[in-house]
Amino acid sequence: CATEDLELASSTFFSILSAHTNDSLQALAQELGPMISAFQSDVVLDQELFKRVQSVWEKKEQFSLSQEDKQLLENTYLHFTRNGANLPEEKRQHLREIDQRLSVLSPLFSENVLKATNAFEMFLTDEKDIEGLPDSAKDAAAHAAEEKGKAGLWLFTLQAPSFVPFLTYANNRDLRKKMWLAYAQRCCSDTFSNEAHVLETVRLRNERAQILGFKTHAEYTLARRMAESPDRVFTFLNQLTVASKKAAQADLEDVKRFAANINGPQDFQPWDYAYYSEKLKQSRYSFNEEDVRPYFQLENVIDGAFQHANKLFQLVFKPSNEYPTYHEDVKTYEVFDEVSGHFIGLFYADFFPRASKRGGAWMTGFHNQGLFKGKNMRPHVSIVCNFTKPTKDKPSLLSLNEVRTLFHEFGHSLHGLLSQCKYRSLSGTNVFWDFVELPSQIFENWTLEKEGLDLFARHYQTGEKIPKELAEKIKESSKFQAGYASLRQINFATLDMAWHNQDPNKIESVEVFETEATKNTSLFPKIPGTCFSNSFSHIFAGGYSAGYYSYKWAEVLDADAFELFLEEGLFNKKVAQSFKENILEKGGTVHPMELYKNFRGREPDPEALLRRDGLI
């Protein structure tokens, strides 16, 4: 019972800490982190408790265990041994100290990223400085300035709905440079610096892995992943790099040539790429990202996600005001099975940026499905995003990327909601990290198909469905600069593996190390003073250490799996039911490769991703 109460309280606290924090919560996190870590260490390092687990493990063949029981026993035994239960007392104590310190470093890192992001504000007074920006970006900037008490000005920040449109459309190159540098230099200077936190974190992770008998943190982590070893991850990344780098270099040269032909800069820089890439796309496809925004009113997109869940998995989402929330922006829905009428779970949605919310988008859970105090509880899941806010004159109109992000996080939520497991530790998204992105990434695919778009893409003023030619342009342009986008993800994954697959004790400069580690996957010369590692929240505050490759790994799975839907029908009931039963309901009760083969009938085809991206 003690662990159940603690898990519920801590999952709720840390979910709110990310979504709606303040100074009091941040201070409390510094107190709670070591306390929770100490409690967890008390459990896994308790020798009497471990002896009982070990006894059952050694006699497991004598018991009649279900597959899920066997998996729970294996996970429990490995949880103890992988956290030092079979070590001498001195090493157990040292491991406890490391875990407590790491529990402090992660929220400190995240806090600095949030503060550094919020610290940058660019107020513009001259209309010439916002030339090129679409009306949606101008309106949002005017609204943001007005909220700060500066009506008549335009405010741009490092939040994605502000930062991305400015780099993509603003004609003023100097201001694009200012925005880009501000973003790339977050947490690199003395103010809110994460340099020391990065170095201490990787050193402690490496030391911890070696105490447990592993060469590196990556080796320790990957022993419980589909990839299994650093060598296999590097082989995978190298294979993708061969195809992606050549295509990425061609993509960049394509943009540079186009820029030169329209009198662009001779010294092409990173803050020029998004701007001229967008102009090239407009020229090549007669397609502007802003052309589709009027068809993506947030409320319609949410409803569209719900309709997809209904057509595929017979789910019904009903809004409710009966449940408490941590912020007025948060919406709550009760989820039911349309056929049986059974209650499936609670779904929370929190869509707009604010100073108290960290950047990005994520799915989280307040309550996992499974046994809780003796009863099989249904899940409470939430998606948290930072989307374009409504203004006085317009509702929230999403970009295509924001639509795909919503569907991505909604895919994670379906993984949590549809879980049908006995034990919470095996349910929902409690799967190997390089498998967890399959349900999210596959769900993005429906946003590129006219049949899927027709469920929600309607003009916010006229109600007109998105025209066929515009839907076709969305799909055609989805492969645009695919090599560049792929290499960018490989760059992040390579950097992650570099931090976690070698002895970090000799590393003195985060910036110098990062530059060397990513030289083969970077297309632009290094800009002094910039360093992504210091704000790389995924690996230093988000659980993806030695796991960022998972996004590309799962892309192979999702591309291969979606090919079956394309072959049999976008909403084919038989295929959807198989995906639900073999992937979404099973959680981590079976090895993910077995789950995938049960669904697909074979192992994934590695070339499915390259086919989808047009790289072969």
Side-chain angles (χ1 to χ4, degrees):
C1 289
T3 55
E4 289 181 324
D5 290 336
L6 178 61
E7 285 173 13
L8 179 59
S10 61
S11 64
T12 301
F13 174 78
F14 285 105
S15 291
I16 295 174
L17 183 70
S18 294
H20 190 43
T21 192
N22 56 43
D23 291 342
S24 296
L25 290 180
Q26 290 169 349
L28 187 57
Q30 295 304 308
E31 292 183 41
L32 289 177
M35 291 171 62
I36 294 171
S37 176
F39 176 81
Q40 292 169 337
S41 294
D42 286 343
V43 173
V44 298
L45 299 179
D46 185 287
Q47 291 303 285
E48 290 303 314
L49 189 56
F50 175 57
K51 286 178 182 177
R52 294 173 66 181
V53 171
Q54 189 174 36
S55 175
V56 177
W57 170 255
E58 290 174 348
K59 299 174 182 177
K60 59 181 180 292
E61 300 303 330
Q62 300 177 20
F63 305 112
S64 298
L65 301 176
S66 68
Q67 168 59 36
E68 188 166 354
D69 291 334
K70 291 178 182 177
Q71 193 64 58
L72 179 69
L73 177 57
E74 179 179 341
N75 287 5
T76 303
Y77 178 74
L78 289 175
H79 178 66
F80 275 84
T81 57
R82 282 171 57 82
N83 284 282
N86 55 355
L87 293 175
E89 170 60 29
E90 182 180 343
K91 289 187 176 182
R92 292 202 304 271
Q93 181 58 34
H94 189 34
L95 209 63
R96 179 193 297 270
E97 293 167 356
I98 290 174
D99 287 342
Q100 289 189 16
R101 180 56 183 163
L102 287 171
S103 74
V104 172
L105 287 170
S106 177
L108 273 177
F109 184 96
S110 187
E111 180 182 332
N112 276 352
V113 174
L114 179 64
K115 288 180 175 178
T117 300
N118 289 338
F120 179 85
E121 294 182 333
M122 185 171 73
F123 286 95
L124 299 180
T125 59
D126 191 338
E127 198 159 358
K128 290 183 178 179
D129 290 335
I130 60 171
E131 287 181 353
L133 286 166
D135 289 341
S136 60
K138 294 177 184 177
D139 292 345
H143 184 66
E146 188 174 341
E147 286 184 327
K148 291 280 187 175
K150 296 190 177 183
L153 304 185
W154 297 274
L155 170 59
F156 294 91
T157 71
L158 299 183
Q159 297 284 357
S162 178
F163 170 76
V164 173
F166 198 90
L167 283 189
T168 305
Y169 297 106
N171 292 341
N172 190 315
R173 190 187 187 215
D174 289 338
L175 292 180
R176 291 203 310 272
K177 177 181 179 180
K178 181 179 179 179
M179 288 279 283
W180 189 92
L181 287 174
Y183 190 86
Q185 292 172 341
R186 288 179 305 162
C187 302
C188 293
S189 62
D190 292 338
T191 307
F192 313 127
S193 174
N194 270 334
E195 173 108 2
H197 297 148
V198 168
L199 293 176
E200 186 178 3
T201 296
V202 294
R203 288 167 185 166
L204 288 175
R205 286 173 176 171
N206 183 70
E207 184 179 2
R208 187 182 192 281
Q210 292 189 335
I211 290 172
L212 292 166
F214 296 87
K215 292 180 181 179
T216 64
H217 176 71
E219 185 180 277
Y220 166 81
T221 299
L222 292 165
R224 295 292 287 161
R225 299 289 188 268
M226 289 182 75
E228 297 179 340
S229 71
D231 285 346
R232 193 172 179 191
V233 171
F234 283 118
T235 297
F236 171 70
L237 292 176
N238 289 338
Q239 288 173 338
L240 288 182
T241 301
V242 170
S244 299
K245 187 172 182 179
K246 183 177 180 180
Q249 289 171 329
D251 287 344
L252 180 57
E253 290 304 314
D254 201 14
V255 174
K256 284 183 176 180
R257 279 194 301 271
F258 179 81
N261 290 337
I262 59 172
N263 298 317
Q266 296 300 310
D267 60 328
F268 198 89
Q269 298 292 338
W271 46 87
D272 297 316
Y273 177 78
Y275 178 77
Y276 286 101
S277 176
E278 178 63 22
K279 288 191 176 299
L280 173 58
K281 183 165 69 173
Q282 292 177 26
S283 173
R284 183 164 295 171
Y285 298 101
S286 300
F287 172 66
N288 186 323
E289 288 283 346
E290 292 300 305
D291 293 340
V292 300
R293 196 185 285 269
Y295 294 92
F296 294 146
Q297 183 175 338
L298 175 60
E299 292 78 6
N300 292 342
V301 180
I302 298 168
D303 183 63
F306 293 166
Q307 288 189 61
H308 276 74
N310 180 262
K311 289 175 72 69
L312 289 165
F313 311 120
Q314 294 77 55
L315 297 182
V316 176
F317 289 73
K318 297 181 179 180
S320 174
N321 295 318
E322 298 299 313
Y323 302 92
T325 62
Y326 54 83
H327 191 275
E328 60 184 10
D329 284 348
V330 181
K331 307 299 180 186
T332 313
Y333 302 83
E334 293 178 322
V335 188
F336 297 91
D337 183 285
E338 186 177 43
V339 178
S340 68
H342 291 160
F343 176 69
I344 297 297
L346 284 182
F347 173 71
Y348 299 83
D350 180 3
F351 289 122
F352 301 125
R354 50 182 174 266
S356 62
K357 183 194 288 188
R358 71 174 172 89
W362 62 96
M363 172 265 186
T364 187
F366 297 112
H367 211 315
N368 286 339
Q369 180 269 324
L371 285 174
F372 183 80
K373 296 188 182 299
K375 295 182 179 180
N376 196 318
M377 300 291 291
R378 295 309 304 167
H380 299 185
V381 305
S382 172
I383 62 174
V384 187
C385 307
N386 284 275
F387 290 156
T388 302
K389 296 176 68 174
T391 65
K392 289 185 297 184
D393 303 320
K394 291 180 181 177
S396 174
L397 301 176
L398 305 186
S399 67
L400 177 59
N401 185 59
E402 288 175 326
V403 172
R404 297 188 69 174
T405 297
L406 191 154
F407 270 65
H408 178 105
E409 301 306 333
F410 189 68
H412 278 310
S413 74
L414 291 176
H415 199 184
L417 286 167
L418 288 169
S419 177
Q420 295 290 347
C421 300
K422 182 178 180 181
Y423 304 112
R424 284 178 296 117
S425 63
L426 298 176
S427 71
T429 58
N430 290 313
V431 300
F432 285 177
W433 278 86
D434 45 9
F435 188 66
V436 75
E437 295 298 333
L438 167 59
S440 58
Q441 291 181 179
I442 193 174
F443 214 61
E444 292 183 48
N445 288 280
W446 275 266
T447 67
L448 300 178
E449 303 294 329
K450 181 66 162 63
E451 190 178 353
L453 289 169
D454 279 346
L455 294 181
F456 64 91
R458 301 181 195 85
H459 197 283
Y460 78 102
Q461 291 174 316
T462 66
E464 171 198 7
K465 282 187 178 182
I466 191 167
K468 181 180 178 181
E469 57 272 20
L470 191 53
E472 289 174 349
K473 288 177 181 179
I474 288 175
K475 188 167 185 177
E476 289 171 5
S477 64
S478 67
K479 297 179 182 179
F480 178 69
Q481 301 281 290
Y484 187 94
S486 179
L487 189 66
R488 180 175 181 269
Q489 287 295 89
I490 294 169
N491 181 280
F492 295 153
T494 301
L495 176 60
D496 171 32
M497 289 298 292
W499 276 120
H500 294 111
N501 197 49
Q502 60 181 284
D503 181 358
N505 289 295
K506 296 180 181 179
I507 302 172
E508 297 180 357
S509 165
V510 173
E511 182 179 346
V512 171
F513 177 80
E514 176 179 308
T515 302
E516 179 64 22
T518 58
K519 64 182 181 182
N520 187 49
T521 51
S522 298
L523 295 179
F524 286 97
K526 177 72 170 62
I527 306 293
T530 62
C531 184
F532 181 67
S533 294
N534 287 333
S535 59
F536 200 171
S537 296
H538 274 76
I539 68 170
F540 291 115
Y544 273 86
S545 60
Y548 198 87
Y549 77 92
S550 301
Y551 284 103
K552 296 306 292 184
W553 185 278
E555 274 190 63
V556 171
L557 300 179
D558 99 71
D560 184 66
F562 190 67
E563 283 186 350
L564 185 58
F565 280 97
L566 291 175
E567 292 165 9
E568 301 296 332
L570 209 59
F571 295 102
N572 182 281
K573 289 288 192 291
K574 183 178 179 181
V575 178
Q577 185 67 17
S578 175
F579 191 79
K580 176 184 175 184
E581 292 178 352
N582 290 302
I583 306 293
L584 299 178
E585 292 184 348
K586 289 294 193 295
T589 59
V590 181
H591 191 283
M593 185 58 80
E594 292 306 309
L595 292 179
Y596 190 85
K597 288 193 293 186
N598 290 342
F599 163 69
R600 197 65 167 96
R602 56 167 174 73
E603 292 194 359
D605 177 1
E607 293 193 344
L609 174 60
L610 300 178
R611 283 196 297 272
R612 185 178 68 185
D613 287 349
L615 299 182
I616 56 172

